[in-house]
Amino acid sequence: MRVVMLGAPGSGKGTQAKQLVQTYGVTQLSTGDLLRAAVKAGSPIGQRAKAAMDAGKLVSDDIVLGLIEERLDGPQGLRDFILDGFPRNLAQAQALGALLERIDLPLQAAILIDVSAEELKRRIAGRRTCRDCGAIYNVYTAPSKQDGVCDVCGGETYQRSDDNEATVAQRLATYEAETAPLVDYYRGHGLLHSVPGEQPVGAIFAALRGIADRLG
């Protein structure tokens, strides 16, 4: 299974990707994890990444693609993976496609967890997090029993600064401008599978399993 997960912030794609990993034993490739591992290992590309981060710069696409290639290519490389969080724009998608074709591991599917903008705003703006244990609630869909109090540890629940409505609107606007065009890109390549994301978590995962089983 060689899959890219697509979906806006709050769509639940990260949660679903983790369930696919647990069920099928594939590896979830996160650019953050790849960066940390390469820096820790001190590989040449890890040193380049560390230099960029130490200078307060964004890690360039060629470094991220190099990290992905380092993890996939060669006799000890992965043959099955789920990419979550990359690519984020068309240029990255095109470069990733060229890389995967070159190392003979072409992408099999791009799976979109499709959720409306209004529902995304509700999910993100309604999110509350416990300051002590990190448990997550939602005032609309999964509130704590007592407002402002964590059910697990009794700690205070709060709204993160980046979960307010203004910030959420900006995040969704960025997604629409940069990442949403990937949907058309992968549809044009015959790779897109769209799963409605406004249904129970179990139903979403059942649909994903149907897709994954067909990929083999």
Side-chain angles (χ1 to χ4, degrees), residues 10-22:
S11 65
K13 66 184 173 65
T15 298
Q16 295 293 339
K18 286 182 173 63
Q19 289 196 57
L20 287 172
V21 166
Q22 293 169 0

Side-chain angles (χ1 to χ4, degrees), residues 86-186:
F86 188 92
R88 291 181 180 272
N89 56 49
L90 283 176
Q92 290 176 350
Q94 291 163 348
L96 174 67
L99 164 63
L100 296 178
E101 290 288 346
R102 178 164 55 79
I103 62 177
D104 199 27
L105 290 173
L107 202 63
Q108 292 177 293
I111 301 176
L112 170 68
I113 308 296
D114 192 17
V115 180
S116 69
E118 285 306 309
E119 175 63 15
L120 290 168
K121 290 175 185 176
R122 194 170 77 108
R123 288 183 184 183
I124 301 173
R127 189 160 51 195
R128 300 293 185 269
T129 305
C130 177
R131 292 188 188 277
D132 296 332
C133 73
I136 296 176
Y137 303 90
N138 190 289
V139 297
Y140 302 113
T141 59
S144 56
K145 293 175 182 176
Q146 182 179 346
D147 186 33
V149 179
C150 176
D151 294 346
V152 178
C153 71
E156 178 193 5
T157 62
Y158 74 106
Q159 183 182 45
R160 291 182 353 184
S161 60
D162 58 345
D163 284 345
N164 65 73
E165 290 191 13
T167 304
V168 169
Q170 181 57 50
R171 287 162 66 187
L172 293 180
T174 300
Y175 169 79
E176 285 297 326
E178 295 185 0
T179 313
L182 294 178
V183 173
D184 289 334
Y185 174 79
Y186 284 120

Side-chain angles (χ1 to χ4, degrees), residues 60-109:
S60 64
D61 288 353
D62 69 302
I63 290 178
V64 174
L65 289 162
L67 292 170
I68 293 172
E69 181 173 9
E70 190 174 68
R71 190 71 177 85
L72 299 181
D73 202 15
Q76 302 302 315
L78 296 173
R79 313 323 280 169
D80 298 285
F81 56 85
I82 297 172
L83 273 165
D84 178 18
F86 188 92
R88 291 181 180 272
N89 56 49
L90 283 176
Q92 290 176 350
Q94 291 163 348
L96 174 67
L99 164 63
L100 296 178
E101 290 288 346
R102 178 164 55 79
I103 62 177
D104 199 27
L105 290 173
L107 202 63
Q108 292 177 293

Side-chain angles (χ1 to χ4, degrees), residues 31-54 59 63 67 70:
T31 52
D33 290 344
L34 289 172
L35 281 167
R36 286 186 287 273
V39 169
K40 184 177 180 180
S43 66
I45 198 159
Q47 292 174 21
R48 288 177 60 201
K50 185 176 187 301
M53 290 187 290
D54 287 348
V59 177
I63 290 178
L67 292 170
E70 190 174 68

